[in-house]
Amino acid sequence: DAASGGRHAPSAKPAGARPPAKELLTESQAEAKLRARLQSFLADASQRSHALPASLNSFERMVAHRLAAELGLEHVSTGEGKQRFVTLYKEGAAPPTGAAGAAEEPRQGAAAVR
């Protein structure tokens, strides 16, 4: 095109650009999101345990542990690095003891927060 001097418009993304990072939540946003998920789990009588996704970051996992304790759920972290996740257990649905890959002892109720 003679009007533009043969130049092309700059591309919207530079070559090799990374995909957008996961949105970081504030504590109140993370708490609201996780509280809804935990309350849904509690309301579902067919579920005795529930694994949260490994996509939660360490901050979100910390909030999940705090909320689980507040709601009287047992909660266990398993795995390492990007594969680390939290599993929640309702009262009477104790996590398996000595499970392969278990990274921590189960925590229960408010005592886990202290």
Side-chain angles (χ1 to χ4, degrees), residues 41-65:
F41 164 61
L42 280 169
D44 185 348
S46 70
Q47 284 191 315
R48 304 294 291 153
S49 65
H50 179 71
L52 296 174
S55 62
L56 296 181
N57 62 37
S58 61
F59 173 75
E60 292 165 323
R61 288 192 308 272
M62 183 266 313
V63 172
H65 281 295

Side-chain angles (χ1 to χ4, degrees), residues 2 13 18 22 24 27 47-48 64 68 72-74 80 93 96 98 100:
K13 282 199 262 185
R18 293 188 214 177
K22 180 180 168 186
L24 295 177
E27 184 171 1
Q47 284 191 315
R48 304 294 291 153
L73 295 167
E74 290 194 37
E80 293 185 21

Side-chain angles (χ1 to χ4, degrees), residues 31-101:
E31 183 172 333
K33 180 180 171 182
L34 289 164
R35 183 178 297 277
R37 189 171 198 145
L38 271 62
Q39 288 175 331
S40 176
F41 164 61
L42 280 169
D44 185 348
S46 70
Q47 284 191 315
R48 304 294 291 153
S49 65
H50 179 71
L52 296 174
S55 62
L56 296 181
N57 62 37
S58 61
F59 173 75
E60 292 165 323
R61 288 192 308 272
M62 183 266 313
V63 172
H65 281 295
R66 184 171 48 79
L67 289 173
E70 180 183 307
L71 295 170
L73 295 167
E74 290 194 37
H75 41 107
V76 179
S77 286
T78 307
E80 293 185 21
K82 296 205 181 269
Q83 284 74 47
R84 192 157 180 85
F85 64 97
V86 177
T87 305
L88 310 168
Y89 298 90
K90 290 181 180 174
E91 188 175 333
T97 56

